[in-house]
Amino acid sequence: MLNAIIFDMDGTLFQTNTILELSLEDAFQRLRDKNLWNEKTPIEKYRDIMGIPLPQVWEALLPQHSKEVRAETDAYFLERLVGNIRNGKGALYPYVTEILPLLKEHGYSIFIASNGLPTYLKAIVKYYTLDKWVTETFSIAQIDTLDKADLVKLVVDKYNITSGAVVGDRLSDIQAAKANDLLAIGCNFDFAKVMELVQADQVIDNLRELHAVLAPY
């Protein structure tokens, strides 16, 4: 029997797209104000790479800029993300506040393992009081490799998880599950890609389906 569920955050529990464009536009407008960018904000490119650690995001979006400019943009983007969360401009996916207590009632331990940074994750957890159901939230910043599989291993090792599932929308979540001998449940949500989801053990179209998918295990 499965006894632990490890959720991704962006594109799985939290509708990142609700604050993504706002925050990214702010970050690139700041670059324009400094004469460091003269094109439109690359929102579609960011959507394509959504789910990778932020340092890699800025390497992809600002390949010609210095590490210092990337670091400054990263910090400002994070500031705007957190500000938008605290101002209530974000949103959880439908059924999050329905499925998490249901899973907890049925004896599952619930965790979050995300490529987001600690400040960002804490803002979401606090605003939506997810810690009522989530045992602990883990950030990619806690490991040196920036590999989601290693982050999930950190959760598994700390809590001695012997049977569980990883729930996420991207290939990195699916690969992290398989690398740790866990069930891979793909979320066919905003940022998901069909060619990635086919590698999951199970696929859901909304979080309400999760309890039924877990039942046979």
Side-chain angles (χ1 to χ4, degrees):
M1 295 292 292
L2 302 183
N3 54 27
I5 313 297
I6 303 171
F7 286 91
D8 178 41
M9 179 67 90
D10 292 314
T12 299
L13 294 178
F14 184 69
Q15 295 188 57
T16 316
N17 57 336
T18 57
I19 61 168
L20 176 66
E21 190 166 348
L22 287 171
S23 304
L24 201 65
E25 181 60 43
D26 287 343
F28 275 84
Q29 185 56 52
R30 187 169 183 266
L31 288 172
R32 293 186 193 96
D33 293 342
K34 293 186 171 187
N35 295 316
L36 294 172
W37 189 261
N38 58 11
E39 302 174 35
K40 68 177 185 178
T41 301
I43 184 69
E44 290 304 322
K45 186 171 184 179
Y46 189 24
R47 289 183 185 277
D48 286 340
I49 61 175
M50 189 70 197
I52 67 174
L54 276 175
Q56 296 175 13
V57 166
W58 299 113
E59 288 176 12
L61 297 186
L62 299 172
Q64 307 303 320
H65 291 70
S66 68
K67 290 182 179 179
E68 290 75 20
V69 169
R70 291 178 195 159
E72 289 175 5
T73 305
D74 183 30
Y76 185 71
F77 179 60
L78 178 61
E79 177 185 317
R80 297 308 309 136
L81 283 173
V82 170
N84 284 323
I85 292 164
R86 290 174 177 168
N87 289 332
K89 294 183 178 180
L92 297 175
Y93 275 97
Y95 314 122
V96 169
T97 57
E98 177 182 312
I99 194 65
L100 293 186
L102 181 62
L103 292 174
K104 195 170 180 67
E105 278 179 28
H106 282 77
Y108 293 102
S109 296
I110 301 170
F111 305 92
I112 293 171
S114 169
N115 282 335
L117 296 177
T119 304
Y120 168 72
L121 297 174
K122 287 177 183 176
I124 297 172
V125 170
K126 182 177 180 180
Y127 188 85
Y128 296 102
T129 62
L130 297 181
D131 51 359
K132 289 186 292 187
W133 311 294
V134 176
T135 301
E136 187 172 352
T137 298
F138 292 78
S139 164
I140 200 71
Q142 294 174 244
I143 58 171
D144 295 329
T145 62
L146 300 183
D147 187 329
K148 191 67 170 283
D150 290 337
L151 183 61
V152 169
K153 186 177 187 302
L154 179 64
V155 185
V156 168
D157 289 348
K158 180 172 181 178
Y159 286 93
N160 298 311
I161 296 169
T162 56
S163 181
V166 175
V167 181
D169 64 314
R170 298 308 302 267
L171 183 60
S172 59
D173 302 303
I174 296 167
Q175 291 174 331
K178 294 181 179 295
N180 288 280
D181 296 318
L182 303 176
L183 184 71
I185 300 177
C187 296
N188 188 22
F189 298 171
D190 295 313
F191 303 110
K193 297 179 181 295
V194 173
M195 293 306 294
E196 296 181 359
L197 292 178
V198 295
Q199 299 186 46
D201 297 308
Q202 299 283 346
V203 176
I204 58 175
D205 292 317
N206 64 69
L207 288 168
R208 180 178 276 176
E209 298 176 2
L210 185 56
H211 191 256
V213 166
L214 291 171
Y217 300 94

